[in-house]
Amino acid sequence: MFERDHVANLDGRTRDRYFERTRATWRIASSLRNHTRWQVADATRVKPPEIWDLVLCRNLVIYLREPAGRTLLQDIASVLAPSGFLVVGRAERPPDSRGLRAVGTCTYQNNVIA
Ligand SMILES: C[S@@+](CC[C@H](N)C(=O)[O-])C[C@H]1O[C@@H](n2cnc3c(N)ncnc32)[C@H](O)[C@@H]1O
């Protein structure tokens, strides 16, 4: 759930496209929610078999001891689709050797061509 303040900076078109209003709050639109699958797991132990277009892994790696943090980012990089995106926290960087290039603040794109 998102409070009114959380969506206040979005333009109305974006907000209405990606969010639905509930009584006093907002939530992600069902058209997006229907394309998501949630799973509780230890990210350092589970390596999903799928290929991902987008991985949001913000402010987790900074709490891991090395080499767990580096290994996790390498594992994520290895399951990113060609041109897939990884978003990390401000203090986090994916390994240089994995073909990811910075394309925005905290946002990296897989450089691998399909
Ligand atoms: C500082 S919070 C960041 C939350 C959010 N991603 C953000 O940037 O606001 C760190 C989160 O990582 C989760 N976490 C810590 N160790 C984890 C692990 N081994 N596997 C999965 N999640 C973990 C914690 O439960 C917590 O929700």
Side-chain angles (χ1 to χ4, degrees):
M1 293 297 163
F2 297 86
E3 302 295 332
R4 191 184 317 161
D5 288 354
H6 294 146
V7 297
N9 290 334
L10 298 175
D11 66 80
R13 192 165 163 222
T14 301
R15 184 199 60 207
D16 293 343
R17 182 171 182 190
Y18 297 116
F19 291 84
E20 294 168 351
R21 191 174 200 144
T22 60
R23 288 183 67 165
T25 59
W26 293 79
R27 67 180 179 179
I28 301 290
S30 52
S31 57
L32 285 180
R33 289 202 322 273
N34 291 342
H35 290 286
T36 62
R37 181 168 49 82
W38 295 91
Q39 177 184 352
V40 177
D42 180 347
T44 64
R45 293 174 184 269
V46 173
K47 187 174 175 184
E50 298 95 341
I51 296 298
W52 299 85
D53 295 318
L54 171 66
V55 174
L56 307 174
C57 187
R58 215 182 68 127
N59 300 325
L60 163 59
V61 169
I62 50 172
Y63 293 102
L64 299 177
R65 292 211 179 103
E66 291 304 339
R70 192 170 52 245
T71 301
L72 175 58
L73 286 171
Q74 285 171 345
D75 287 349
I76 290 172
S78 72
V79 296
L80 269 188
S83 303
F85 292 94
L86 166 64
V87 179
V88 294
R90 283 187 184 278
E92 299 163 334
R93 298 273 176 284
D96 290 338
S97 60
R98 286 293 166 156
L100 301 182
R101 66 186 172 101
V103 292
T105 307
C106 304
T107 306
Y108 296 82
Q109 186 174 26
N110 196 356
N111 240 351
V112 175
I113 309 296

mmCIF file with all atom_site columns, all heavy atoms in Angstrom, residues 21-44:
data_model
loop_
_atom_site.group_PDB
_atom_site.id
_atom_site.type_symbol
_atom_site.label_atom_id
_atom_site.label_alt_id
_atom_site.label_comp_id
_atom_site.label_asym_id
_atom_site.label_entity_id
_atom_site.label_seq_id
_atom_site.pdbx_PDB_ins_code
_atom_site.Cartn_x
_atom_site.Cartn_y
_atom_site.Cartn_z
_atom_site.occupancy
_atom_site.B_iso_or_equiv
_atom_site.pdbx_formal_charge
_atom_site.auth_seq_id
_atom_site.auth_comp_id
_atom_site.auth_asym_id
_atom_site.auth_atom_id
_atom_site.pdbx_PDB_model_num
ATOM 1   N N   . ARG A 1 21 ? -6.604  3.277   -6.760  1.00 0.00 ? 21 ARG A N   1
ATOM 2   C CA  . ARG A 1 21 ? -6.937  3.890   -5.489  1.00 0.00 ? 21 ARG A CA  1
ATOM 3   C C   . ARG A 1 21 ? -7.751  2.895   -4.657  1.00 0.00 ? 21 ARG A C   1
ATOM 4   O O   . ARG A 1 21 ? -8.658  2.243   -5.171  1.00 0.00 ? 21 ARG A O   1
ATOM 5   C CB  . ARG A 1 21 ? -7.763  5.149   -5.742  1.00 0.00 ? 21 ARG A CB  1
ATOM 6   C CG  . ARG A 1 21 ? -7.917  5.948   -4.517  1.00 0.00 ? 21 ARG A CG  1
ATOM 7   C CD  . ARG A 1 21 ? -8.610  7.264   -4.813  1.00 0.00 ? 21 ARG A CD  1
ATOM 8   N NE  . ARG A 1 21 ? -8.298  8.143   -3.718  1.00 0.00 ? 21 ARG A NE  1
ATOM 9   C CZ  . ARG A 1 21 ? -8.095  9.413   -3.835  1.00 0.00 ? 21 ARG A CZ  1
ATOM 10  N NH1 . ARG A 1 21 ? -8.182  9.998   -4.997  1.00 0.00 ? 21 ARG A NH1 1
ATOM 11  N NH2 . ARG A 1 21 ? -7.835  10.132  -2.780  1.00 0.00 ? 21 ARG A NH2 1
ATOM 12  N N   . THR A 1 22 ? -7.381  2.769   -3.408  1.00 0.00 ? 22 THR A N   1
ATOM 13  C CA  . THR A 1 22 ? -8.236  2.026   -2.486  1.00 0.00 ? 22 THR A CA  1
ATOM 14  C C   . THR A 1 22 ? -8.919  3.090   -1.628  1.00 0.00 ? 22 THR A C   1
ATOM 15  O O   . THR A 1 22 ? -8.927  4.252   -2.014  1.00 0.00 ? 22 THR A O   1
ATOM 16  C CB  . THR A 1 22 ? -7.413  1.048   -1.625  1.00 0.00 ? 22 THR A CB  1
ATOM 17  O OG1 . THR A 1 22 ? -6.459  1.796   -0.882  1.00 0.00 ? 22 THR A OG1 1
ATOM 18  C CG2 . THR A 1 22 ? -6.691  0.025   -2.494  1.00 0.00 ? 22 THR A CG2 1
ATOM 19  N N   . ARG A 1 23 ? -9.445  2.764   -0.496  1.00 0.00 ? 23 ARG A N   1
ATOM 20  C CA  . ARG A 1 23 ? -10.200 3.792   0.254   1.00 0.00 ? 23 ARG A CA  1
ATOM 21  C C   . ARG A 1 23 ? -9.331  4.998   0.582   1.00 0.00 ? 23 ARG A C   1
ATOM 22  O O   . ARG A 1 23 ? -9.633  6.108   0.171   1.00 0.00 ? 23 ARG A O   1
ATOM 23  C CB  . ARG A 1 23 ? -10.769 3.183   1.525   1.00 0.00 ? 23 ARG A CB  1
ATOM 24  C CG  . ARG A 1 23 ? -11.913 2.246   1.187   1.00 0.00 ? 23 ARG A CG  1
ATOM 25  C CD  . ARG A 1 23 ? -12.528 1.692   2.405   1.00 0.00 ? 23 ARG A CD  1
ATOM 26  N NE  . ARG A 1 23 ? -13.202 2.760   3.159   1.00 0.00 ? 23 ARG A NE  1
ATOM 27  C CZ  . ARG A 1 23 ? -14.060 2.542   4.106   1.00 0.00 ? 23 ARG A CZ  1
ATOM 28  N NH1 . ARG A 1 23 ? -14.354 1.333   4.454   1.00 0.00 ? 23 ARG A NH1 1
ATOM 29  N NH2 . ARG A 1 23 ? -14.618 3.537   4.743   1.00 0.00 ? 23 ARG A NH2 1
ATOM 30  N N   . ALA A 1 24 ? -8.236  4.789   1.312   1.00 0.00 ? 24 ALA A N   1
ATOM 31  C CA  . ALA A 1 24 ? -7.408  5.930   1.712   1.00 0.00 ? 24 ALA A CA  1
ATOM 32  C C   . ALA A 1 24 ? -6.002  5.859   1.153   1.00 0.00 ? 24 ALA A C   1
ATOM 33  O O   . ALA A 1 24 ? -5.207  6.766   1.374   1.00 0.00 ? 24 ALA A O   1
ATOM 34  C CB  . ALA A 1 24 ? -7.349  5.998   3.241   1.00 0.00 ? 24 ALA A CB  1
ATOM 35  N N   . THR A 1 25 ? -5.697  4.788   0.461   1.00 0.00 ? 25 THR A N   1
ATOM 36  C CA  . THR A 1 25 ? -4.327  4.593   -0.014  1.00 0.00 ? 25 THR A CA  1
ATOM 37  C C   . THR A 1 25 ? -4.336  4.218   -1.507  1.00 0.00 ? 25 THR A C   1
ATOM 38  O O   . THR A 1 25 ? -5.391  4.167   -2.126  1.00 0.00 ? 25 THR A O   1
ATOM 39  C CB  . THR A 1 25 ? -3.631  3.471   0.779   1.00 0.00 ? 25 THR A CB  1
ATOM 40  O OG1 . THR A 1 25 ? -4.384  2.268   0.607   1.00 0.00 ? 25 THR A OG1 1
ATOM 41  C CG2 . THR A 1 25 ? -3.500  3.818   2.259   1.00 0.00 ? 25 THR A CG2 1
ATOM 42  N N   . TRP A 1 26 ? -3.152  3.941   -2.019  1.00 0.00 ? 26 TRP A N   1
ATOM 43  C CA  . TRP A 1 26 ? -3.011  3.493   -3.407  1.00 0.00 ? 26 TRP A CA  1
ATOM 44  C C   . TRP A 1 26 ? -2.303  2.151   -3.390  1.00 0.00 ? 26 TRP A C   1
ATOM 45  O O   . TRP A 1 26 ? -1.541  1.852   -2.477  1.00 0.00 ? 26 TRP A O   1
ATOM 46  C CB  . TRP A 1 26 ? -2.180  4.498   -4.198  1.00 0.00 ? 26 TRP A CB  1
ATOM 47  C CG  . TRP A 1 26 ? -2.869  5.815   -4.377  1.00 0.00 ? 26 TRP A CG  1
ATOM 48  C CD1 . TRP A 1 26 ? -2.972  6.824   -3.450  1.00 0.00 ? 26 TRP A CD1 1
ATOM 49  C CD2 . TRP A 1 26 ? -3.582  6.267   -5.522  1.00 0.00 ? 26 TRP A CD2 1
ATOM 50  N NE1 . TRP A 1 26 ? -3.687  7.876   -3.951  1.00 0.00 ? 26 TRP A NE1 1
ATOM 51  C CE2 . TRP A 1 26 ? -4.069  7.560   -5.240  1.00 0.00 ? 26 TRP A CE2 1
ATOM 52  C CE3 . TRP A 1 26 ? -3.838  5.709   -6.779  1.00 0.00 ? 26 TRP A CE3 1
ATOM 53  C CZ2 . TRP A 1 26 ? -4.803  8.295   -6.153  1.00 0.00 ? 26 TRP A CZ2 1
ATOM 54  C CZ3 . TRP A 1 26 ? -4.574  6.447   -7.695  1.00 0.00 ? 26 TRP A CZ3 1
ATOM 55  C CH2 . TRP A 1 26 ? -5.056  7.731   -7.387  1.00 0.00 ? 26 TRP A CH2 1
ATOM 56  N N   . ARG A 1 27 ? -2.562  1.369   -4.409  1.00 0.00 ? 27 ARG A N   1
ATOM 57  C CA  . ARG A 1 27 ? -1.816  0.124   -4.565  1.00 0.00 ? 27 ARG A CA  1
ATOM 58  C C   . ARG A 1 27 ? -1.470  -0.054  -6.037  1.00 0.00 ? 27 ARG A C   1
ATOM 59  O O   . ARG A 1 27 ? -2.077  0.572   -6.912  1.00 0.00 ? 27 ARG A O   1
ATOM 60  C CB  . ARG A 1 27 ? -2.606  -1.074  -4.048  1.00 0.00 ? 27 ARG A CB  1
ATOM 61  C CG  . ARG A 1 27 ? -3.823  -1.390  -4.846  1.00 0.00 ? 27 ARG A CG  1
ATOM 62  C CD  . ARG A 1 27 ? -4.549  -2.583  -4.262  1.00 0.00 ? 27 ARG A CD  1
ATOM 63  N NE  . ARG A 1 27 ? -5.745  -2.865  -5.036  1.00 0.00 ? 27 ARG A NE  1
ATOM 64  C CZ  . ARG A 1 27 ? -6.573  -3.835  -4.791  1.00 0.00 ? 27 ARG A CZ  1
ATOM 65  N NH1 . ARG A 1 27 ? -6.348  -4.644  -3.774  1.00 0.00 ? 27 ARG A NH1 1
ATOM 66  N NH2 . ARG A 1 27 ? -7.636  -4.030  -5.532  1.00 0.00 ? 27 ARG A NH2 1
ATOM 67  N N   . ILE A 1 28 ? -0.494  -0.933  -6.302  1.00 0.00 ? 28 ILE A N   1
ATOM 68  C CA  . ILE A 1 28 ? -0.081  -1.185  -7.679  1.00 0.00 ? 28 ILE A CA  1
ATOM 69  C C   . ILE A 1 28 ? -1.280  -1.738  -8.461  1.00 0.00 ? 28 ILE A C   1
ATOM 70  O O   . ILE A 1 28 ? -2.025  -2.581  -7.958  1.00 0.00 ? 28 ILE A O   1
ATOM 71  C CB  . ILE A 1 28 ? 1.084   -2.204  -7.715  1.00 0.00 ? 28 ILE A CB  1
ATOM 72  C CG1 . ILE A 1 28 ? 2.292   -1.697  -6.915  1.00 0.00 ? 28 ILE A CG1 1
ATOM 73  C CG2 . ILE A 1 28 ? 1.475   -2.544  -9.146  1.00 0.00 ? 28 ILE A CG2 1
ATOM 74  C CD1 . ILE A 1 28 ? 3.008   -0.536  -7.528  1.00 0.00 ? 28 ILE A CD1 1
ATOM 75  N N   . ALA A 1 29 ? -1.450  -1.257  -9.671  1.00 0.00 ? 29 ALA A N   1
ATOM 76  C CA  . ALA A 1 29 ? -2.594  -1.664  -10.497 1.00 0.00 ? 29 ALA A CA  1
ATOM 77  C C   . ALA A 1 29 ? -2.608  -3.179  -10.694 1.00 0.00 ? 29 ALA A C   1
ATOM 78  O O   . ALA A 1 29 ? -1.550  -3.810  -10.836 1.00 0.00 ? 29 ALA A O   1
ATOM 79  C CB  . ALA A 1 29 ? -2.524  -0.962  -11.850 1.00 0.00 ? 29 ALA A CB  1
ATOM 80  N N   . SER A 1 30 ? -3.811  -3.743  -10.722 1.00 0.00 ? 30 SER A N   1
ATOM 81  C CA  . SER A 1 30 ? -3.918  -5.201  -10.864 1.00 0.00 ? 30 SER A CA  1
ATOM 82  C C   . SER A 1 30 ? -3.317  -5.668  -12.192 1.00 0.00 ? 30 SER A C   1
ATOM 83  O O   . SER A 1 30 ? -2.814  -6.786  -12.288 1.00 0.00 ? 30 SER A O   1
ATOM 84  C CB  . SER A 1 30 ? -5.368  -5.658  -10.724 1.00 0.00 ? 30 SER A CB  1
ATOM 85  O OG  . SER A 1 30 ? -6.188  -4.926  -11.593 1.00 0.00 ? 30 SER A OG  1
ATOM 86  N N   . SER A 1 31 ? -3.311  -4.811  -13.220 1.00 0.00 ? 31 SER A N   1
ATOM 87  C CA  . SER A 1 31 ? -2.710  -5.205  -14.500 1.00 0.00 ? 31 SER A CA  1
ATOM 88  C C   . SER A 1 31 ? -1.217  -5.494  -14.332 1.00 0.00 ? 31 SER A C   1
ATOM 89  O O   . SER A 1 31 ? -0.668  -6.335  -15.046 1.00 0.00 ? 31 SER A O   1
ATOM 90  C CB  . SER A 1 31 ? -2.912  -4.104  -15.545 1.00 0.00 ? 31 SER A CB  1
ATOM 91  O OG  . SER A 1 31 ? -2.366  -2.887  -15.087 1.00 0.00 ? 31 SER A OG  1
ATOM 92  N N   . LEU A 1 32 ? -0.566  -4.817  -13.391 1.00 0.00 ? 32 LEU A N   1
ATOM 93  C CA  . LEU A 1 32 ? 0.840   -5.119  -13.093 1.00 0.00 ? 32 LEU A CA  1
ATOM 94  C C   . LEU A 1 32 ? 0.953   -6.246  -12.080 1.00 0.00 ? 32 LEU A C   1
ATOM 95  O O   . LEU A 1 32 ? 1.777   -7.144  -12.226 1.00 0.00 ? 32 LEU A O   1
ATOM 96  C CB  . LEU A 1 32 ? 1.546   -3.879  -12.521 1.00 0.00 ? 32 LEU A CB  1
ATOM 97  C CG  . LEU A 1 32 ? 1.912   -2.763  -13.480 1.00 0.00 ? 32 LEU A CG  1
ATOM 98  C CD1 . LEU A 1 32 ? 2.608   -1.638  -12.734 1.00 0.00 ? 32 LEU A CD1 1
ATOM 99  C CD2 . LEU A 1 32 ? 2.795   -3.294  -14.589 1.00 0.00 ? 32 LEU A CD2 1
ATOM 100 N N   . ARG A 1 33 ? 0.106   -6.198  -11.046 1.00 0.00 ? 33 ARG A N   1
ATOM 101 C CA  . ARG A 1 33 ? 0.196   -7.230  -9.990  1.00 0.00 ? 33 ARG A CA  1
ATOM 102 C C   . ARG A 1 33 ? -0.007  -8.623  -10.569 1.00 0.00 ? 33 ARG A C   1
ATOM 103 O O   . ARG A 1 33 ? 0.605   -9.591  -10.113 1.00 0.00 ? 33 ARG A O   1
ATOM 104 C CB  . ARG A 1 33 ? -0.826  -6.957  -8.888  1.00 0.00 ? 33 ARG A CB  1
ATOM 105 C CG  . ARG A 1 33 ? -0.497  -5.767  -8.024  1.00 0.00 ? 33 ARG A CG  1
ATOM 106 C CD  . ARG A 1 33 ? -1.198  -5.822  -6.657  1.00 0.00 ? 33 ARG A CD  1
ATOM 107 N NE  . ARG A 1 33 ? -2.538  -6.359  -6.714  1.00 0.00 ? 33 ARG A NE  1
ATOM 108 C CZ  . ARG A 1 33 ? -3.636  -5.622  -6.967  1.00 0.00 ? 33 ARG A CZ  1
ATOM 109 N NH1 . ARG A 1 33 ? -3.540  -4.340  -7.181  1.00 0.00 ? 33 ARG A NH1 1
ATOM 110 N NH2 . ARG A 1 33 ? -4.825  -6.187  -6.992  1.00 0.00 ? 33 ARG A NH2 1
ATOM 111 N N   . ASN A 1 34 ? -0.848  -8.717  -11.580 1.00 0.00 ? 34 ASN A N   1
ATOM 112 C CA  . ASN A 1 34 ? -1.121  -10.031 -12.176 1.00 0.00 ? 34 ASN A CA  1
ATOM 113 C C   . ASN A 1 34 ? 0.090   -10.626 -12.885 1.00 0.00 ? 34 ASN A C   1
ATOM 114 O O   . ASN A 1 34 ? 0.109   -11.802 -13.217 1.00 0.00 ? 34 ASN A O   1
ATOM 115 C CB  . ASN A 1 34 ? -2.293  -9.935  -13.161 1.00 0.00 ? 34 ASN A CB  1
ATOM 116 C CG  . ASN A 1 34 ? -3.598  -9.670  -12.444 1.00 0.00 ? 34 ASN A CG  1
ATOM 117 O OD1 . ASN A 1 34 ? -3.701  -9.879  -11.234 1.00 0.00 ? 34 ASN A OD1 1
ATOM 118 N ND2 . ASN A 1 34 ? -4.587  -9.172  -13.165 1.00 0.00 ? 34 ASN A ND2 1
ATOM 119 N N   . HIS A 1 35 ? 1.100   -9.799  -13.141 1.00 0.00 ? 35 HIS A N   1
ATOM 120 C CA  . HIS A 1 35 ? 2.309   -10.284 -13.799 1.00 0.00 ? 35 HIS A CA  1
ATOM 121 C C   . HIS A 1 35 ? 3.441   -10.527 -12.807 1.00 0.00 ? 35 HIS A C   1
ATOM 122 O O   . HIS A 1 35 ? 4.581   -10.731 -13.220 1.00 0.00 ? 35 HIS A O   1
ATOM 123 C CB  . HIS A 1 35 ? 2.780   -9.282  -14.849 1.00 0.00 ? 35 HIS A CB  1
ATOM 124 C CG  . HIS A 1 35 ? 1.864   -9.212  -16.028 1.00 0.00 ? 35 HIS A CG  1
ATOM 125 N ND1 . HIS A 1 35 ? 1.808   -10.202 -16.981 1.00 0.00 ? 35 HIS A ND1 1
ATOM 126 C CD2 . HIS A 1 35 ? 0.955   -8.292  -16.388 1.00 0.00 ? 35 HIS A CD2 1
ATOM 127 C CE1 . HIS A 1 35 ? 0.900   -9.874  -17.889 1.00 0.00 ? 35 HIS A CE1 1
ATOM 128 N NE2 . HIS A 1 35 ? 0.368   -8.732  -17.550 1.00 0.00 ? 35 HIS A NE2 1
ATOM 129 N N   . THR A 1 36 ? 3.142   -10.481 -11.524 1.00 0.00 ? 36 THR A N   1
ATOM 130 C CA  . THR A 1 36 ? 4.197   -10.666 -10.526 1.00 0.00 ? 36 THR A CA  1
ATOM 131 C C   . THR A 1 36 ? 3.952   -11.946 -9.728  1.00 0.00 ? 36 THR A C   1
ATOM 132 O O   . THR A 1 36 ? 2.822   -12.433 -9.624  1.00 0.00 ? 36 THR A O   1
ATOM 133 C CB  . THR A 1 36 ? 4.260   -9.488  -9.535  1.00 0.00 ? 36 THR A CB  1
ATOM 134 O OG1 . THR A 1 36 ? 3.027   -9.421  -8.824  1.00 0.00 ? 36 THR A OG1 1
ATOM 135 C CG2 . THR A 1 36 ? 4.538   -8.184  -10.245 1.00 0.00 ? 36 THR A CG2 1
ATOM 136 N N   . ARG A 1 37 ? 5.040   -12.472 -9.206  1.00 0.00 ? 37 ARG A N   1
ATOM 137 C CA  . ARG A 1 37 ? 4.951   -13.645 -8.335  1.00 0.00 ? 37 ARG A CA  1
ATOM 138 C C   . ARG A 1 37 ? 5.822   -13.337 -7.128  1.00 0.00 ? 37 ARG A C   1
ATOM 139 O O   . ARG A 1 37 ? 6.949   -12.875 -7.257  1.00 0.00 ? 37 ARG A O   1
ATOM 140 C CB  . ARG A 1 37 ? 5.484   -14.878 -9.079  1.00 0.00 ? 37 ARG A CB  1
ATOM 141 C CG  . ARG A 1 37 ? 5.428   -16.151 -8.282  1.00 0.00 ? 37 ARG A CG  1
ATOM 142 C CD  . ARG A 1 37 ? 5.689   -17.357 -9.182  1.00 0.00 ? 37 ARG A CD  1
ATOM 143 N NE  . ARG A 1 37 ? 6.867   -17.195 -10.018 1.00 0.00 ? 37 ARG A NE  1
ATOM 144 C CZ  . ARG A 1 37 ? 8.111   -17.429 -9.591  1.00 0.00 ? 37 ARG A CZ  1
ATOM 145 N NH1 . ARG A 1 37 ? 8.345   -17.823 -8.365  1.00 0.00 ? 37 ARG A NH1 1
ATOM 146 N NH2 . ARG A 1 37 ? 9.142   -17.265 -10.404 1.00 0.00 ? 37 ARG A NH2 1
ATOM 147 N N   . TRP A 1 38 ? 5.289   -13.548 -5.946  1.00 0.00 ? 38 TRP A N   1
ATOM 148 C CA  . TRP A 1 38 ? 6.007   -13.229 -4.727  1.00 0.00 ? 38 TRP A CA  1
ATOM 149 C C   . TRP A 1 38 ? 6.479   -14.506 -4.051  1.00 0.00 ? 38 TRP A C   1
ATOM 150 O O   . TRP A 1 38 ? 5.767   -15.502 -4.025  1.00 0.00 ? 38 TRP A O   1
ATOM 151 C CB  . TRP A 1 38 ? 5.119   -12.436 -3.766  1.00 0.00 ? 38 TRP A CB  1
ATOM 152 C CG  . TRP A 1 38 ? 4.753   -11.106 -4.317  1.00 0.00 ? 38 TRP A CG  1
ATOM 153 C CD1 . TRP A 1 38 ? 3.646   -10.803 -5.062  1.00 0.00 ? 38 TRP A CD1 1
ATOM 154 C CD2 . TRP A 1 38 ? 5.502   -9.894  -4.212  1.00 0.00 ? 38 TRP A CD2 1
ATOM 155 N NE1 . TRP A 1 38 ? 3.670   -9.478  -5.413  1.00 0.00 ? 38 TRP A NE1 1
ATOM 156 C CE2 . TRP A 1 38 ? 4.790   -8.897  -4.908  1.00 0.00 ? 38 TRP A CE2 1
ATOM 157 C CE3 . TRP A 1 38 ? 6.707   -9.561  -3.594  1.00 0.00 ? 38 TRP A CE3 1
ATOM 158 C CZ2 . TRP A 1 38 ? 5.248   -7.586  -4.996  1.00 0.00 ? 38 TRP A CZ2 1
ATOM 159 C CZ3 . TRP A 1 38 ? 7.150   -8.251  -3.684  1.00 0.00 ? 38 TRP A CZ3 1
ATOM 160 C CH2 . TRP A 1 38 ? 6.423   -7.288  -4.377  1.00 0.00 ? 38 TRP A CH2 1
ATOM 161 N N   . GLN A 1 39 ? 7.655   -14.438 -3.516  1.00 0.00 ? 39 GLN A N   1
ATOM 162 C CA  . GLN A 1 39 ? 8.227   -15.598 -2.843  1.00 0.00 ? 39 GLN A CA  1
ATOM 163 C C   . GLN A 1 39 ? 9.117   -15.081 -1.721  1.00 0.00 ? 39 GLN A C   1
ATOM 164 O O   . GLN A 1 39 ? 9.885   -14.137 -1.916  1.00 0.00 ? 39 GLN A O   1
ATOM 165 C CB  . GLN A 1 39 ? 9.063   -16.395 -3.845  1.00 0.00 ? 39 GLN A CB  1
ATOM 166 C CG  . GLN A 1 39 ? 9.765   -17.585 -3.278  1.00 0.00 ? 39 GLN A CG  1
ATOM 167 C CD  . GLN A 1 39 ? 10.649  -18.269 -4.333  1.00 0.00 ? 39 GLN A CD  1
ATOM 168 O OE1 . GLN A 1 39 ? 10.619  -17.945 -5.509  1.00 0.00 ? 39 GLN A OE1 1
ATOM 169 N NE2 . GLN A 1 39 ? 11.443  -19.213 -3.882  1.00 0.00 ? 39 GLN A NE2 1
ATOM 170 N N   . VAL A 1 40 ? 8.985   -15.679 -0.555  1.00 0.00 ? 40 VAL A N   1
ATOM 171 C CA  . VAL A 1 40 ? 9.878   -15.338 0.553   1.00 0.00 ? 40 VAL A CA  1
ATOM 172 C C   . VAL A 1 40 ? 11.043  -16.309 0.509   1.00 0.00 ? 40 VAL A C   1
ATOM 173 O O   . VAL A 1 40 ? 10.841  -17.526 0.484   1.00 0.00 ? 40 VAL A O   1
ATOM 174 C CB  . VAL A 1 40 ? 9.146   -15.441 1.912   1.00 0.00 ? 40 VAL A CB  1
ATOM 175 C CG1 . VAL A 1 40 ? 10.111  -15.153 3.051   1.00 0.00 ? 40 VAL A CG1 1
ATOM 176 C CG2 . VAL A 1 40 ? 7.964   -14.474 1.948   1.00 0.00 ? 40 VAL A CG2 1
ATOM 177 N N   . ALA A 1 41 ? 12.267  -15.785 0.465   1.00 0.00 ? 41 ALA A N   1
ATOM 178 C CA  . ALA A 1 41 ? 13.427  -16.667 0.351   1.00 0.00 ? 41 ALA A CA  1
ATOM 179 C C   . ALA A 1 41 ? 14.673  -15.949 0.839   1.00 0.00 ? 41 ALA A C   1
ATOM 180 O O   . ALA A 1 41 ? 14.715  -14.717 0.897   1.00 0.00 ? 41 ALA A O   1
ATOM 181 C CB  . ALA A 1 41 ? 13.617  -17.093 -1.104  1.00 0.00 ? 41 ALA A CB  1
ATOM 182 N N   . ASP A 1 42 ? 15.672  -16.727 1.179   1.00 0.00 ? 42 ASP A N   1
ATOM 183 C CA  . ASP A 1 42 ? 16.988  -16.188 1.484   1.00 0.00 ? 42 ASP A CA  1
ATOM 184 C C   . ASP A 1 42 ? 17.703  -15.993 0.145   1.00 0.00 ? 42 ASP A C   1
ATOM 185 O O   . ASP A 1 42 ? 18.046  -16.964 -0.531  1.00 0.00 ? 42 ASP A O   1
ATOM 186 C CB  . ASP A 1 42 ? 17.749  -17.180 2.367   1.00 0.00 ? 42 ASP A CB  1
ATOM 187 C CG  . ASP A 1 42 ? 19.137  -16.674 2.718   1.00 0.00 ? 42 ASP A CG  1
ATOM 188 O OD1 . ASP A 1 42 ? 19.613  -15.699 2.095   1.00 0.00 ? 42 ASP A OD1 1
ATOM 189 O OD2 . ASP A 1 42 ? 19.749  -17.280 3.614   1.00 0.00 ? 42 ASP A OD2 1
ATOM 190 N N   . ALA A 1 43 ? 17.899  -14.741 -0.221  1.00 0.00 ? 43 ALA A N   1
ATOM 191 C CA  . ALA A 1 43 ? 18.454  -14.439 -1.545  1.00 0.00 ? 43 ALA A CA  1
ATOM 192 C C   . ALA A 1 43 ? 19.863  -14.992 -1.718  1.00 0.00 ? 43 ALA A C   1
ATOM 193 O O   . ALA A 1 43 ? 20.319  -15.177 -2.848  1.00 0.00 ? 43 ALA A O   1
ATOM 194 C CB  . ALA A 1 43 ? 18.453  -12.925 -1.771  1.00 0.00 ? 43 ALA A CB  1
ATOM 195 N N   . THR A 1 44 ? 20.546  -15.277 -0.625  1.00 0.00 ? 44 THR A N   1
ATOM 196 C CA  . THR A 1 44 ? 21.906  -15.810 -0.735  1.00 0.00 ? 44 THR A CA  1
ATOM 197 C C   . THR A 1 44 ? 21.901  -17.315 -0.985  1.00 0.00 ? 44 THR A C   1
ATOM 198 O O   . THR A 1 44 ? 22.937  -17.908 -1.267  1.00 0.00 ? 44 THR A O   1
ATOM 199 C CB  . THR A 1 44 ? 22.729  -15.518 0.535   1.00 0.00 ? 44 THR A CB  1
ATOM 200 O OG1 . THR A 1 44 ? 22.120  -16.206 1.638   1.00 0.00 ? 44 THR A OG1 1
ATOM 201 C CG2 . THR A 1 44 ? 22.806  -14.034 0.811   1.00 0.00 ? 44 THR A CG2 1
#
